[in-house]
């Protein structure tokens, strides 16, 4: 088995969401150390509150204030906290029914070990020191030996100064990308300054870069074919906006290039010629720089332009 | 109403890490397997539908790469669901019922190996109240398991027995990732131990659906009978975990009612319970007693290629019917945390 190519791949983004009126009131309330629920059509108080009734799907808007203490309805001991979770030391995940609520809220309970937690345990909120209007304004729950009030929760307007209208949740997932057999062969060859395509055994088309399958025949491409290095510009565009983290002066040309022997065009930047002189049919060749593992760009070969009929099927 | 059947099922070997192959390279042999069995070529297929998730691959529109494997150019009639392939099968079933197609290819694949599955699955949760806390898939299932234990509905010994039964069944399964019993192991998130959790791995599955006489012909060509879909329905629980009774699955019960499960006893049930404790919930919701053979394939404990595991339950149940080992089987698929969404099918052999 040939060496498996892998590369780290990080997907990281701020997950930005706007809030509906009920969510906005709830999260703004947390910032002010006030927990709000919403009354559903069947009279239940839902905490954390939903914008729509879980049974009837009607809009629900009647807010009430519930307690900051409550009762554990189920729990799970987490011996090895993971990135992003509320506590860095072992803790219990808990569903907590806050006093006055009829449903439960998920969070973490800070206790020394599993022997310190059981369903029915009384707990209360430990507020985060810095609160922004997010579920993480609740740092966690801690055990609490006070009784529940049993009182009906009072109505609340949901109005606060400077309400929170959106949340931004950073999200990051780490992957190890493995491109598979065909693309690994392609990348290995490219590192040796060769471009290989793969031929479909049925329709004979040569795919560059190869992805392992012929999308017309639905079968594996199985023969490696060296293509290029020269090729023909089949179409192109002029890039006028500088991309972040890309140290290339604009305007420049990005083109589809049909390498000689390839059954479809790949794309690459064209250099060594003014952007306004690039044309369909231009003959180009790859330019390798330093120890680069792929061509930096393609430049004109100086050959006469390829006739349109020679590449029209590859546009 | 048109009769629709599963006429072929195939799956890959399920492995912990398939770094040698891309998704389409993993998938193609499975597609070719079901096509070969039925004698169909890709261009004979009336409708193609797939299930997978970009979050597993970490790449947007990753499913389009897999489409190369079905010969999607020039364009074919095709659709994709960003969930388990069992729901792709549902879409294909509806398509065949409308009469717009006579055959359908349904496939699903999942590679969990590139990422950290427990983290990846947090991104399917409510973005306001849950996702910022990064509660992983095992933690949420453990909350459900503890609720069942507190309610006196199960205990750790019973959960271990469920895992044991599934993995014993998987011992002879040629594609299983985990074969044969293994120790219950340490707690991952208590009360769930390593033995209660499914293996994490990569794999793919495909089925071919056909309607009426086409189904009879394609099955007969293999010397088998069609596995007729007598009913198929899917339902969802309330959005918030804290609103739900985690010890029950009303959505499964309702889907089963609509699919006609309770009209006559089934002899076999393929249940998609990623965690052993979830089988306890499903058995009660589906009113399965000791006369029903549960998970002869080994279930999700044998292999859990996320996004394909549910489709595999339908395929395994159909395969038993096709070869005459079952006459009426139930297949179940789930998606989301703590059995959030549930699909139930009733499959029968020719009467
Ligand atoms: Zn071909």
């Amino acid at each position: 088995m040939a060496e498996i190519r892998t590369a780290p791949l990080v997907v990281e983004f701020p997950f930005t969401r706007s809030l509906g009126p009920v969510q906005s009131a709830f999260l703004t309330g947390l910032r002010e150390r006030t927990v709000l629920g919403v009354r559903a059509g069947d009279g239940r108080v839902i905490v954390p509150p939903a914008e729509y009734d879980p049974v009837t799907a009607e809009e629900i808007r009647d807010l009430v204030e519930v307690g900051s203490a409550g009762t554990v309805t189920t729990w799970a001991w987490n011996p090895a906290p993971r990135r992003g979770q509320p506590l860095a030391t072992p803790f219990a995940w808990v569903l907590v029914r806050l006093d006055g609520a009829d449903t439960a809220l998920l969070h973490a309970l800070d206790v020394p070990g599993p022997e310190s937690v059981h369903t029915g345990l009384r707990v209360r909120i430990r507020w985060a020191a810095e609160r922004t209007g997010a579920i993480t304004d609740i740092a966690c729950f801690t055990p609490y030996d006070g009784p529940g009030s049993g009182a009906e929760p009072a109505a609340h307007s949901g109005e606060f100064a400077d309400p929170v209208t959106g949340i931004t949740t950073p999200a990051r997932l780490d992957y190890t990308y493995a491109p598979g057999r065909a693309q690994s062969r392609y990348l290995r060859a490219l590192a040796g300054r060769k471009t290989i395509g793969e031929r479909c055994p049925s329709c004979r088309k040569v795919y560059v870069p190869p992805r392992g399958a012929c999308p017309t025949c639905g079968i594996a491409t199985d023969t490696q074919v060296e293509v290029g290095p020269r090729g023909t510009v089949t179409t192109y565009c002029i890039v006028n906006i500088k991309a972040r983290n890309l140290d290339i002066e604009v305007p420049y040309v990005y083109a589809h290039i049909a390498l000689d022997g390839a059954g479809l065009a790949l794309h690459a930047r064209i250099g060594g010629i003014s952007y306004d002189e690039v044309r369909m049919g231009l003959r180009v060749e790859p330019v390798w720089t330093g120890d680069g593992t792929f061509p930096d760009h393609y430049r004109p070969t100086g050959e006469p332009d390829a006739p349109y009929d020679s590449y029209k099927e590859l546009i | 109403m048109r009769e629709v059947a599963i006429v072929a099922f195939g799956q890959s070997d399920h492995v912990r890490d398939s770094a040698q192959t891309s998704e389409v390279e993993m998938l193609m042999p499975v597609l070719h397997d079901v096509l070969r069995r039925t004698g169909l070529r890709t261009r004979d297929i009336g409708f193609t539908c797939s299930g997978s998730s970009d979050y597993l691959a970490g790449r947007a529109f990753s499913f389009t790469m897999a489409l190369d494997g079905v010969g999607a150019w020039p364009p074919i009639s095709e659709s994709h669901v960003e969930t388990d392939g069992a729901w792709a099968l549902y879409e294909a079933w509806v398509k065949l019922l409308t009469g717009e197609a006579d055959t359908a290819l349904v496939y699903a694949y999942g590679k969990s190996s590139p990422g950290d599955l427990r983290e990846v699955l947090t991104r399917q949760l409510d973005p306001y109240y849950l996702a910022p806390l990064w509660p992983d898939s095992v933690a949420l299932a453990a909350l459900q398991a503890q609720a069942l234990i507190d309610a006196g509905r199960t205990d750790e010994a019973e959960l271990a027995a469920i895992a044991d039964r599934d993995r014993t069944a998987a011992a002879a399964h040629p594609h299983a990732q985990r074969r044969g019993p293994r120790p219950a192991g340490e707690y991952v998130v208590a009360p769930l131990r390593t033995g209660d959790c499914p293996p994490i791995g990569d794999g793919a599955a495909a089925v071919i659906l056909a309607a009426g006489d086409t189904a009879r012909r394609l099955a007969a060509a293999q010397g088998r009978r069609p596995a007729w879909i007598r009913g198929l329905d899917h339902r969802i629980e309330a959005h918030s975990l804290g609103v739900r009774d985690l010890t029950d699955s009303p959505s499964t019960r309702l889907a089963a009612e609509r699919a006609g499960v309770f009209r006559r006893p089934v002899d076999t049930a393929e249940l998609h319970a990623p965690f052993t404790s979830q089988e306890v919930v499903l058995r009660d919701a589906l009113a399965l007693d000791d006369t029903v053979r549960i998970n002869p394939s080994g279930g999700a404990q044998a292999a859990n290629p996320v996004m394909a595991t549910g489709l595999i339950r339908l395929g395994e149940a159909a395969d038993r019917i096709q070869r005459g080992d079952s006459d009426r089987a139930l297949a179940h698929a789930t998606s989301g945390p703590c059995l959030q969404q549930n699909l139930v099918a009733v499959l029968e052999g020719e009467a």
Side-chain angles (χ1 to χ4, degrees):
Chain A
M1 173 77 54
E3 161 215 7
I4 303 163
R5 294 189 75 95
T6 61
L9 171 67
V10 178
V11 176
E12 193 167 19
F13 51 93
F15 204 71
T16 306
R17 309 276 312 195
S18 55
L19 299 172
V22 170
Q23 293 163 325
S24 168
F26 174 70
L27 292 178
T28 308
L30 294 186
R31 192 189 68 198
E32 307 304 325
R33 304 210 285 189
T34 298
V35 187
L36 300 182
V38 66
R39 203 173 282 281
D42 57 9
R44 286 189 300 170
V45 171
I46 314 269
V47 180
E51 300 274 339
Y52 296 92
D53 191 295
V55 179
T56 66
E58 302 273 333
E59 259 187 49
I60 43 177
R61 294 290 179 266
D62 294 338
L63 299 172
V64 295
E65 182 174 351
V66 300
S68 59
T71 305
V72 171
T73 65
T74 185
W75 62 283
W77 183 252
N78 182 19
R82 302 164 68 83
R83 185 170 72 185
Q85 295 181 345
L87 295 168
T89 51
F91 66 89
W93 289 105
V94 282
L95 278 167
V96 177
R97 189 168 55 233
L98 291 169
D99 296 339
D102 294 297
T103 68
L105 175 148
L106 179 84
H107 224 289
L109 172 67
D110 188 7
V111 282
E115 62 288 343
S116 307
V117 53
H118 58 89
T119 295
L121 182 71
R122 295 283 297 158
V123 296
R124 72 173 162 194
I125 291 171
R126 178 193 292 158
W127 295 102
E130 274 184 41
R131 295 180 306 280
T132 60
I135 194 68
T136 46
D137 288 355
I138 298 174
C140 63
F141 281 84
T142 57
Y144 170 63
D145 54 12
S149 74
E152 269 295 295
H156 192 286
S157 70
E159 286 166 18
F160 298 94
D162 189 20
V164 177
T165 58
I167 57 164
T168 302
T169 306
R172 175 186 168 127
L173 295 169
D174 288 76
Y175 298 89
T176 302
Y177 177 65
R181 289 191 203 105
Q183 292 192 75
S184 288
R185 287 191 288 258
Y186 172 76
L187 293 169
R188 257 197 307 279
L190 208 54
R193 301 196 169 186
K194 282 189 176 139
T195 302
I196 61 162
E198 300 209 356
R199 177 177 282 137
C200 172
S202 175
C203 70
R204 313 296 295 164
K205 185 162 173 168
V206 175
Y207 290 91
V208 187
R211 298 197 308 220
C214 172
T216 300
C217 305
I219 56 176
T221 52
D222 62 351
T223 315
Q224 286 81 55
V225 184
E226 188 173 347
V227 297
R230 293 181 166 190
T232 302
V233 171
T234 62
T235 184
Y236 63 95
C237 64
I238 299 167
V239 180
N240 286 290
I241 296 174
K242 206 167 163 62
R244 199 155 59 154
N245 306 326
L246 200 60
D247 190 25
I248 300 170
E249 285 308 310
V250 292
Y252 65 86
V253 171
Y254 209 71
H256 275 194
I257 300 164
L259 296 180
D260 296 345
L264 77 171
L266 49 68
H267 44 87
R269 183 169 64 88
I270 304 294
I273 180 173
S274 174
Y275 70 91
D276 55 0
E277 289 173 24
V278 175
R279 55 207 179 263
M280 290 169 71
L282 181 71
R283 295 284 295 159
V284 293
E285 64 189 4
V287 177
W288 306 82
T289 51
D291 54 2
T293 53
F294 53 89
D296 179 72
H297 64 274
Y298 282 73
R299 70 178 172 213
T301 62
E303 297 166 280
D305 285 2
Y308 180 70
D309 280 351
S310 71
Y311 63 85
K312 68 178 181 188
E313 299 298 330
L314 301 174
I315 294 174
Chain B
M1 196 153 100
R2 282 185 116 191
E3 288 184 300
V4 175
I6 295 175
V7 296
F9 165 59
Q11 61 186 315
S12 67
D13 290 344
H14 302 290
V15 297
R16 175 64 190 94
D17 189 346
S18 61
Q20 292 92 349
T21 54
S22 66
E23 277 93 345
V24 68
E25 288 166 342
M26 179 174 77
L27 181 64
M28 260 189 306
V30 180
L31 299 174
H32 296 163
D33 179 31
V34 292
L35 290 168
R36 183 185 49 74
R37 287 177 200 216
T38 52
L40 294 169
R41 295 156 302 174
T42 50
R43 62 179 170 278
D44 299 328
I45 297 290
F47 181 63
T48 298
C49 197
S50 59
S52 67
S53 173
D54 284 355
Y55 275 81
L56 292 177
R59 281 174 302 143
F61 294 98
S62 60
F63 74 92
T64 59
M65 306 291 273
L67 275 175
D68 287 352
V70 298
W73 181 262
I76 58 171
S77 174
E78 174 272 327
S79 183
H80 175 261
V81 297
E82 187 82 7
T83 182
D84 191 287
W87 277 262
L89 186 145
Y90 183 91
E91 183 176 337
W93 176 67
V94 171
K95 190 86 167 180
L96 265 58
L97 289 181
T98 65
E100 283 186 30
D102 287 330
T103 54
L105 171 63
V106 178
Y107 65 89
Y109 61 91
K111 271 184 161 231
S112 298
S113 60
D116 178 332
L117 184 62
R118 287 171 68 183
E119 264 177 25
V120 168
L121 290 178
T122 65
R123 299 301 93 187
Q124 72 181 333
L125 301 170
D126 177 299
Y128 308 100
Y129 303 154
L130 294 181
L133 305 175
W134 295 81
D136 63 276
S137 46
V138 183
L140 296 175
L143 287 166
Q144 186 175 34
Q146 185 62 45
L148 286 161
I149 291 170
D150 286 337
R153 297 267 301 285
T154 192
D155 54 32
E156 288 196 34
E158 189 197 15
L159 299 184
I162 289 170
D164 213 52
R165 183 208 61 213
D166 275 353
R167 299 210 175 102
T168 301
H173 198 299
H175 301 291
Q177 183 177 339
R178 256 189 211 158
R179 293 185 199 151
R182 63 205 305 274
E186 299 294 315
Y187 286 122
V188 183
V189 180
L192 293 179
R193 298 175 180 274
T194 52
D196 295 305
C197 302
I200 294 175
D202 304 348
V207 306
I208 288 181
L209 298 183
D213 287 341
T214 306
R216 290 186 184 88
R217 178 171 55 78
L218 294 175
Q222 309 166 62
R224 299 180 128 208
R225 58 181 182 175
W228 297 105
I229 300 172
R230 297 302 189 204
L232 184 57
D233 197 88
H234 66 95
R235 300 283 154 171
I236 185 167
E237 302 293 340
H239 174 70
S240 171
L241 287 172
V243 167
R244 294 167 51 188
D245 172 0
L246 294 178
T247 67
D248 194 11
S249 184
S251 65
T252 300
R253 189 176 297 112
L254 181 57
E257 268 169 31
R258 300 294 182 106
V261 170
F262 304 124
R263 272 176 223 148
R264 270 206 316 286
V266 296
D267 56 52
T268 304
E270 278 286 338
L271 303 180
H272 182 186
F275 299 91
T276 52
S277 42
Q278 294 174 339
E279 181 184 308
V280 177
V281 178
L282 293 172
R283 267 191 337 229
D284 287 357
L286 295 164
L288 300 176
D289 61 25
D290 293 345
T291 64
V292 180
R293 176 113 194 252
I294 294 177
N295 289 353
S297 70
Q301 299 302 325
N304 187 37
V306 174
M307 301 298 146
T309 315
L311 180 63
I312 290 171
R313 305 280 72 74
L314 284 134
E316 292 279 8
D319 197 49
R320 288 182 76 77
I321 284 176
Q322 286 206 267
R323 59 179 198 252
D325 290 343
S326 165
D327 290 323
R328 182 172 157 90
L330 177 158
H332 160 266
T334 197
S335 180
C338 302
L339 303 171
Q340 183 77 24
Q341 293 140 47
N342 295 285
L343 176 148
V344 177
V346 178
L347 303 168
E348 286 184 359
E350 204 90 58

